[in-house]
Amino acid sequence: MNNTARAGGFFLHDRQFYRSLFHILALVALQNVINYSVNMADNIMLGSYSQPALSGAATVNQIFFLVQQLSLGVGDAFIVLGSQYWGQRRTEPIRGLAAAALRWAVVCGAVFFFACALAPRGILRLFTKDEAILLQGVAYLRILKYTFIPFFISATVMAILRSVETVRIAFVTSIVSLVVNVCINYVLIYGRFGAPELGVRGAAIGTLTARLLELSIVLGYAAHDRKKLHLFGPGFRHPDPLLASDFRKTAVPVILSQVLWGISVPMQTAILGHLSSDAIAANSVATTFYQYLKVVVIAESSAFGVVIGMTIGKGKTDEVKAAMRTLELMSLLIALILGGTLYLIRTPLLRLYELTPEALALADRLIVILCLVMVGMGYEMPICMGCLRGGGDTKFVLAMNMISTWAIVMPLSFASAFWWKWPVAAVVICIQSDQIFKCLPTFVRARHYNKWIKKLTR
């Protein structure tokens, strides 16, 4: 490491830091893009099959979005602690934390499974009252619910491996999963090669098969890799109870933050779903593209959290400060690129869908709005959810999400949609506004290093 890094230069000049960062960022971004494509394959293929099938699957995906957010919470809570131990190259505590994290993953997956098994139609009616959409959504959910527990376990194991800079296996797994899902979709949605035409149920079968394959590959790798972590070795089978307590203290605010924010997103979609069928179809299409690029921002958050945690674990405070400034500039540049990209590709991508002219025109307007939202989110999410939370400042992230989402965004969204009767585009602006105004408190908090740089290892 050169003298600039040691002296606390404004930006970090540690080559190993950048190698770790870009290695994790590139592979996690690609893995997230491919992993998201498993669900997007259902979206695009069903979009060319029928609009009710597309809207039904999109409605169910609001539930799966909650599953993803909760799994991210479990994984991110692990990364906060695990990356600091990895910065010290201590693997036995990491295995003990992994045992606790996987228990949480199984319990969370089971909660979603039983909720959707007991009241699938009642849950979906929270998002739409259209009977045609409900019929398709229930058929999709009856099969998709079996993916919840496998997905929770796979996502948690991938986060455990990511905390020790092992990310290639998740990338490879996602490629295999995508290929399998697309092939099964093609055969079962449309009834190719003599198979029955199952429509939305065929898409769900493809997704379930892909998720089960992901689980088997990731667990097989973790069980046989003894070079770095040896996940199921000493420390996993008989974990220290203190580590389970540490994980619980970290996990509760992280998971609660993800859940409170995650619940708001389907509720926001439900607001649009109660306006018109064109609104839910247009929002589904627009947010599909937005979410596709958002996975890059999520990858930034994960990578930033790992490298910040590793740097804190090494006990080098000056480097942590320089790293924060470096990552802030990087996140802003990437945000501008993503917003511009979304704007440029919107027209050719909209041609993939067979929707009414009104729904297509509305989708175009919503994408333009989301281009601006992307810039704000591209800065605040990696810094807040990545650096600040990765540094141990989990309570600030929880407080900001609670206030911004539930005290500002949700009341404003409901009022604009149902009281003031604003146009759909204006309602979407209200729904997404938190991604802009959270930038200022995130920037201010990042300047108070003593409040978020916390060493959590024993």
Side-chain angles (χ1 to χ4, degrees), residues 28 31 62 77 93-94 123 125 133 151 164 205 211 221 242 297 301 322 352 356 368 381 390 395 398 410 416 453 455:
V28 172
Q31 183 246 329
Q62 300 306 311
I94 296 176
I123 293 173
R125 283 187 68 85
I133 295 175
F151 180 80
V164 297
I205 292 171
R211 297 303 183 195
Y221 178 89
L242 292 175
V297 180
S301 301
L352 296 172
T356 64
V368 172
M381 183 177 287
K395 292 181 180 178
L398 172 61
M410 292 306 299
S416 64
I453 299 177
K455 194 167 183 178

Side-chain angles (χ1 to χ4, degrees), residues 48-345:
S48 62
Y49 183 74
S50 75
Q51 184 165 323
L54 165 65
S55 298
T59 303
V60 174
N61 281 336
Q62 300 306 311
I63 300 172
F64 191 74
F65 174 78
L66 271 179
V67 171
Q68 289 176 313
Q69 292 308 305
L70 194 53
S71 68
L72 277 173
V74 175
D76 288 351
F78 181 89
I79 287 173
V80 171
L81 291 163
S83 60
Q84 290 198 15
Y85 279 109
W86 182 243
Q88 302 168 359
R89 293 303 187 266
R90 297 168 58 195
T91 57
E92 187 165 339
I94 296 176
R95 289 191 287 269
L97 291 168
L102 286 170
R103 284 196 294 269
W104 278 65
V106 171
V107 170
C108 292
V111 169
F112 276 93
F113 172 83
F114 285 112
C116 292
L118 294 173
R121 188 177 180 85
I123 293 173
L124 292 180
R125 283 187 68 85
L126 296 173
F127 307 108
T128 181
K129 295 180 180 178
D130 189 300
E131 285 300 322
I133 295 175
L134 281 172
L135 183 66
Q136 296 291 321
V138 169
Y140 190 63
L141 184 58
R142 279 177 180 155
I143 298 171
L144 197 75
K145 67 178 182 285
Y146 292 103
T147 69
F148 294 162
I149 294 177
F151 180 80
F152 263 101
I153 297 173
S154 298
T156 303
V157 174
M158 289 180 187
I160 292 166
L161 295 174
R162 193 180 310 136
S163 72
V164 297
E165 302 177 88
T166 300
V167 290
R168 192 178 303 275
I169 183 61
F171 172 61
V172 173
T173 302
S174 296
I175 292 177
V176 174
S177 177
L178 175 63
V179 172
V180 169
N181 186 55
V182 170
C183 291
I184 295 176
N185 278 3
Y186 179 75
V187 173
L188 294 183
I189 290 176
Y190 308 106
R192 308 297 188 191
F193 307 114
E197 182 181 330
L198 298 179
V200 74
R201 288 182 296 143
I205 292 171
T207 302
L208 174 60
T209 306
R211 297 303 183 195
L212 292 175
L213 184 60
E214 279 180 358
L215 178 62
S216 62
I217 294 174
V218 171
L219 286 180
Y221 178 89
H224 291 92
D225 178 29
R226 298 173 181 267
K227 294 180 180 179
K228 184 180 287 187
L229 181 58
H230 189 195
L231 179 58
F232 300 117
F236 182 87
R237 292 185 294 271
H238 304 287
D240 185 342
L242 292 175
L243 291 173
S245 176
D246 288 345
F247 181 80
R248 183 178 64 254
K249 292 175 183 177
T250 302
V252 168
V254 173
I255 292 175
L256 189 57
S257 177
Q258 289 290 146
V259 169
L260 288 173
W261 181 76
I263 289 174
S264 72
V265 174
M267 289 182 66
Q268 292 160 0
T269 302
I271 293 172
L272 296 175
H274 283 79
L275 298 181
S276 70
S277 59
D278 282 341
I280 192 170
N283 185 62
S284 171
V285 171
T287 53
T288 294
F289 301 149
Y290 172 72
Q291 295 288 349
Y292 214 104
L293 293 178
K294 182 180 175 180
V295 297
V296 179
V297 180
I298 294 172
E300 285 183 83
S301 301
S302 183
F304 288 10
V306 172
V307 295
I308 284 290
M310 289 169 55
T311 309
I312 293 174
K314 295 174 184 176
K316 300 176 180 179
T317 303
D318 286 342
E319 289 184 31
V320 178
K321 296 178 181 179
M324 169 61 94
R325 293 187 288 265
T326 302
L327 296 176
E328 282 187 282
L329 177 60
M330 185 183 302
S331 65
L332 183 58
L333 292 175
I334 294 175
L336 291 170
I337 293 171
L338 292 177
T341 300
L342 182 59
Y343 182 82
L344 293 175
I345 66 174

